[in-house]
Amino acid sequence: MNKRNKHLLIILALLVLPAFLFTGCLKEGNDTLVLPMPYGKIPYDVIPEQIQDELSLNGFVIHEGVNPITIKGRFKAEPMNQQFASDGYFNPNFRELYMEFSGQRPRGKVNYIQGQSDTIFLDEEQINDVIGNAERARVIGEDSNFTMYCIQTIQLDKSSWSKTASVVSGTLTKTGIKDFQYAEYIISKEDEWGRISDVGTFRYWNDGDNLAEKYFKSSDK
């Protein structure tokens, strides 16, 4: 092969290579979204590795994997039984937890909203950092066993709020989420009255009857 042909092959290879590099992009409207490759774990910049290890050692199950089931709809976990608190504080009055999953997209990105009767969980329209950012709300797992993680801002009143990593874990069934577990890790806070756990602490709860049931509002029926 002469030098001219070699140069032509090198140029052709350089032209073809970008086509393979950008196979991880998706089109949304007129924008191109560059999505990270499936990781299948909770990123350490959401919950540090040490905290994840401590959660697992104390009985919380993180379902890892890159082929999670699609989860959608509303669910209610009640009663919520606290299983562990890294700061040693046990709250027997954790209210029933309402959750809504919608719009799950490729690689596990999902919209997630939750609420309780005594707290306000801000949604995407109120704070952009709560739901919908690339790594903020995502589902991982294999088959029906899944874990959803996200970062939320939870506001108790005008002067008290926390940025919290929340984790929902269990097995999706026809009737709800079996073996339901919920964890919170405090990332930062503003807490005038001292009602929020310390930064760096975590707690987790199980559903008392091991099933977070599907929940329908009266307007759904």
Side-chain angles (χ1 to χ4, degrees):
M1 181 181 296
N2 59 42
K3 290 185 177 180
R4 182 179 179 182
N5 289 337
K6 287 183 178 179
H7 290 158
L8 287 174
L9 287 175
I10 292 171
I11 292 172
L12 180 61
L14 291 174
L15 291 173
V16 172
L17 181 58
F20 290 96
L21 291 178
F22 288 97
T23 54
C25 299
L26 293 179
K27 286 284 187 178
E28 185 171 287
N30 294 324
D31 298 324
T32 299
L33 305 178
V34 181
L35 300 179
M37 292 301 294
Y39 182 55
K41 297 184 179 182
I42 301 176
Y44 296 147
D45 63 346
V46 176
I47 300 179
E49 181 179 15
Q50 178 185 350
I51 301 300
Q52 293 190 44
D53 290 343
E54 289 186 42
L55 276 167
S56 297
L57 286 172
N58 286 284
F60 190 88
V61 179
I62 299 174
H63 296 290
E64 298 181 344
V66 297
N67 297 300
I69 196 170
T70 297
I71 179 170
K72 60 182 178 180
R74 301 185 185 100
F75 301 85
K76 180 175 74 171
E78 180 189 25
M80 294 285 282
N81 293 339
Q82 188 172 334
Q83 302 298 306
F84 186 80
S86 65
D87 58 357
Y89 179 79
F90 282 80
N91 178 10
N93 298 316
F94 194 87
R95 308 284 184 175
E96 64 272 12
L97 184 69
Y98 295 88
M99 300 156 286
E100 181 175 347
F101 302 82
S102 64
Q104 187 170 327
R105 284 150 284 191
R107 305 184 186 181
K109 187 176 178 182
V110 69
N111 296 321
Y112 174 74
I113 298 175
Q114 68 180 44
Q116 291 175 284
S117 58
D118 59 349
T119 58
I120 302 170
F121 292 75
L122 304 184
D123 62 27
E124 187 174 11
E125 294 181 356
Q126 295 168 302
I127 290 187
N128 188 47
D129 200 31
V130 179
I131 305 169
N133 283 349
E135 294 295 331
R136 294 304 186 212
R138 198 169 292 269
V139 180
I140 58 175
E142 294 288 337
D143 300 323
S144 298
N145 300 318
F146 78 94
T147 293
M148 189 286 307
Y149 64 84
C150 67
I151 292 179
Q152 302 184 98
T153 296
I154 302 172
Q155 187 164 341
L156 299 181
D157 53 43
K158 292 182 180 179
S159 61
S160 300
W161 58 266
S162 69
K163 180 166 285 190
T164 301
S166 301
V167 186
V168 170
S169 198
T171 301
L172 187 64
T173 69
K174 292 181 178 180
T175 55
I177 304 172
K178 182 183 176 183
D179 299 327
F180 174 85
Q181 295 182 300
Y182 174 77
E184 291 184 345
Y185 166 69
I186 307 299
I187 298 171
S188 60
K189 69 173 183 174
E190 186 69 40
D191 185 17
E192 181 178 355
W193 305 105
R195 292 176 292 171
I196 301 172
S197 306
D198 291 338
V199 171
T201 61
F202 66 90
R203 300 173 183 174
Y204 90 83
W205 295 258
N206 287 355
D207 186 279
D209 58 9
N210 293 322
L211 182 69
E213 297 180 348
K214 289 186 175 180
Y215 169 74
F216 299 94
K217 294 181 180 179
S218 57
S219 59
D220 296 334
K221 298 179 181 179

